[in-house]
Amino acid sequence: MSEVPTECDICGKPGTLRHYPAPVPCSGGFCDDCYEFLQRGYDPTVAAEYRYLTGPTERFDTYAEVVAFYEFHGEWCVRQIEQFEGRTVRSERNGDWASVCESPLRDIDLNHADFPLTELAKEDFERLWRIAEPDVRD
């Protein structure tokens, strides 16, 4: 199979069409650097800092107001809590990884006008994680 030259969907540099490096049914154009970054992001053994953030978000299955709490390991969300309609639900990255935030942290605008994120203490995240029920989407 020959490589199809294209522009990188992330940085705009020359790239090739390839399967997205995660368990999702999609392809895109990626340069070698961006593809390596995406591929490396799904390895939980990579040494990286943890960061905890919270803010408003949306769910595809409800129009309710949602407050989300995120645990990022390096660039990737590994656990997520959502509060909406009187419920607190939790999800974590696994083989079906799409149940948590799918964007690398470097692509998220922490000061977005509609969805601003603020720092959260790890202890506050863990306290919510303990009381949250598993998300039915998992």
Side-chain angles (χ1 to χ4, degrees):
M1 176 180 201
S2 63
E3 293 184 351
V4 178
T6 186
E7 184 177 281
C8 179
D9 293 341
I10 297 172
C11 70
K13 294 179 184 175
T16 54
L17 181 65
R18 346 178 175 196
H19 182 271
Y20 192 83
V24 293
C26 66
S27 297
F30 302 102
C31 69
D32 290 341
D33 290 340
C34 290
Y35 191 80
E36 191 271 332
F37 169 78
L38 292 171
Q39 195 171 36
R40 183 178 68 232
Y42 295 101
D43 182 355
T45 65
V46 170
E49 299 275 333
Y50 282 88
R51 191 166 178 191
Y52 300 88
L53 302 167
T54 184
T57 191
E58 298 176 322
R59 281 176 65 111
F60 69 87
D61 60 346
T62 181
Y63 291 108
E65 292 185 21
V66 178
V67 176
F69 303 85
Y70 306 99
E71 177 186 52
F72 279 86
H73 177 235
E75 292 293 323
W76 301 103
C77 184
V78 292
R79 295 190 296 168
Q80 180 173 317
I81 302 165
E82 292 174 307
Q83 292 182 322
F84 62 100
E85 297 176 337
R87 298 176 60 207
T88 301
V89 298
R90 67 178 185 259
S91 301
E92 57 188 312
R93 185 175 296 276
N94 57 30
D96 296 326
W97 70 278
S99 61
V100 298
C101 176
E102 302 167 12
S103 299
L105 189 54
R106 72 179 186 181
D107 291 348
I108 297 173
D109 178 3
L110 301 181
N111 299 309
H112 189 281
D114 296 321
F115 305 107
L117 294 174
T118 57
E119 296 288 336
L120 177 73
K122 177 182 180 178
E123 296 77 22
D124 293 335
F125 183 92
E126 295 296 347
R127 188 178 68 251
L128 284 171
W129 185 262
R130 286 190 297 274
I131 65 167
E133 62 188 87
D135 194 331
V136 296
R137 297 180 299 177
D138 281 353

